[in-house]
Amino acid sequence: MTLHFFLTTAIILSISLNIILLFRLRKKRKQLLKYSSQLQKFRDLSTKLRDIVVQREETFYKNLHELSIGFLKNVKKSYLITFDGEYGQVVSALGDTSAKEKKVRKIDLPYSVERVYLVEKDKLSAIFEPSLDTSVTSDTSSKKILVTDIHIGGELKGKLLIERDEPFVSDEIDTIKSLSGFLTSFMATHSYVTSQGKFQKDMILTIIRILEYHDPYTKGHSKNVANLASLLAEKLGLSDELIRKTYWAALVHDIGKIVIPSTILNKEGKLTIEEFEIIKKHPVYGHDFLSTSADLRELARYVYHHHERWDGKGYPSGLSGEDIPLISRIIAVVDAWDAMRSSRPYRKGLSKEEALKELIEHSGIQFDPNIVRTFVKLIREHLVD
Ligand SMILES: [Fe+2]
């Protein structure tokens, strides 16, 4: 009897223990699955974000924003805001494009949430005025608005605001909370890349100013060609990376003219054959200067070929057609356009229509016909003066 009682109790205890263990295991498994799904989300996000760090400001924020909230369903409105001191800017707005490009003011409240206002014509209108309980840092049951702060170096540098009609569940809130750390590192990396880019750009613009001092008739030419060539590259459907390279190569395309005597560069009459031979060396000099740096070697190649012609009668290599690097072919068209449009002391610049006619006449001979076609469209659509 005692043995039977003992055995029954042991079996009941063992079954209960197993049930408890099973429940615990199921709970652990659920937790593990939750973490693994979160981890997967971050892994996917980091892969996508890795490629956008070097993108231009507007594209970078738009992509960062879309990727960050991509896993959330039925988002009504969302804003990514960056702050510089008291004022900030909506750098990306989803579901409310009118808010884009507008200034935002941050008004601190004595709590962890701040109201965010749009500053429009000296009038403040709230785009987001979350009541205190809507922050991710406070009670999060049945919340339809999420606000998460982005800190860089201890300073509030941005906010991600998300609104939808249905409440956020705890999993989504957890993911968004963890995401703010992620956003911080990507925004910090982007700002570092941008500041590096700004330093390089300032250095190059200084060298361009020296060139313009040496050859005053090219004043503004390098910048014009860079702006227009990158616009044309965009219109041709090139990647962000290639658009950026087009801008830099176009900016420095005539850098080799620094070592051409100013008496030749500034000569008003016709050049002699010997003088023209000297001028023709500027792409080679430009290439030599730039290729001393490993980072600039690719740009050096584009600079080297910017006076090649589609028919192979250009210089310095006499390359023809698609053997000429695409970026050099783009620069060739825009360079000719800007030179024709600008006035010199000895001749007046051509009108828009006259210059377009020249480009079209030389399309397929001097210039890549596809690039000329796209360029003419760009000018005709009044996108460019
Ligand atoms: Fe040139």
Side-chain angles (χ1 to χ4, degrees), residues 77 79 90 92-103 118 120 127:
K77 290 195 279 188
Y79 304 93
V90 179
S92 173
L94 300 172
D96 178 12
T97 43
S98 68
K100 182 84 175 54
E101 309 270 315
K102 284 176 184 169
K103 265 191 174 176
L118 276 187
E120 202 177 2
I127 50 167

Side-chain angles (χ1 to χ4, degrees), residues 191-238:
S191 111
Y192 175 73
V193 170
T194 313
S195 68
Q196 287 289 301
K198 192 179 174 307
F199 175 74
Q200 281 173 3
K201 191 173 169 181
D202 286 348
M203 284 299 287
I204 288 177
L205 287 176
T206 305
I207 298 166
I208 299 294
R209 272 193 286 278
I210 297 170
L211 172 65
E212 288 174 351
Y213 185 79
H214 181 63
D215 179 15
Y217 299 128
T218 62
K219 198 160 174 59
H221 174 71
S222 307
K223 259 185 161 177
N224 288 348
V225 176
N227 289 330
L228 203 44
S230 47
L231 205 62
L232 177 56
E234 196 178 340
K235 189 93 181 147
L236 283 161
L238 267 63

Side-chain angles (χ1 to χ4, degrees), residues 335-365:
D335 186 20
W337 165 263
D338 193 70
M340 287 192 285
R341 293 280 284 135
S342 46
S343 298
R344 295 281 184 271
Y346 48 91
R347 66 155 175 83
K348 208 178 157 291
L350 300 186
S351 72
K352 197 194 260 190
E353 279 311 314
E354 286 169 332
L356 279 182
K357 195 168 161 258
E358 281 292 319
L359 282 185
I360 295 165
E361 271 175 19
H362 290 85
S363 168
I365 304 162

Side-chain angles (χ1 to χ4, degrees), residues 221 253-254 257 282-283 306-307 315 335:
H221 174 71
H253 74 282
D254 271 344
K257 281 188 178 171
H282 78 271
H306 81 273
H307 278 292
Y315 60 90
D335 186 20

Side-chain angles (χ1 to χ4, degrees), residues 95-132:
D96 178 12
T97 43
S98 68
K100 182 84 175 54
E101 309 270 315
K102 284 176 184 169
K103 265 191 174 176
V104 168
R105 189 159 176 223
K106 169 168 69 87
I107 298 172
D108 290 326
L109 291 173
Y111 304 94
S112 58
V113 187
E114 292 108 17
R115 287 182 186 150
V116 179
Y117 290 93
L118 276 187
V119 182
E120 202 177 2
K121 291 174 192 145
D122 296 331
K123 196 178 89 205
L124 293 180
S125 55
I127 50 167
F128 250 81
E129 199 173 353
S131 54
L132 295 178

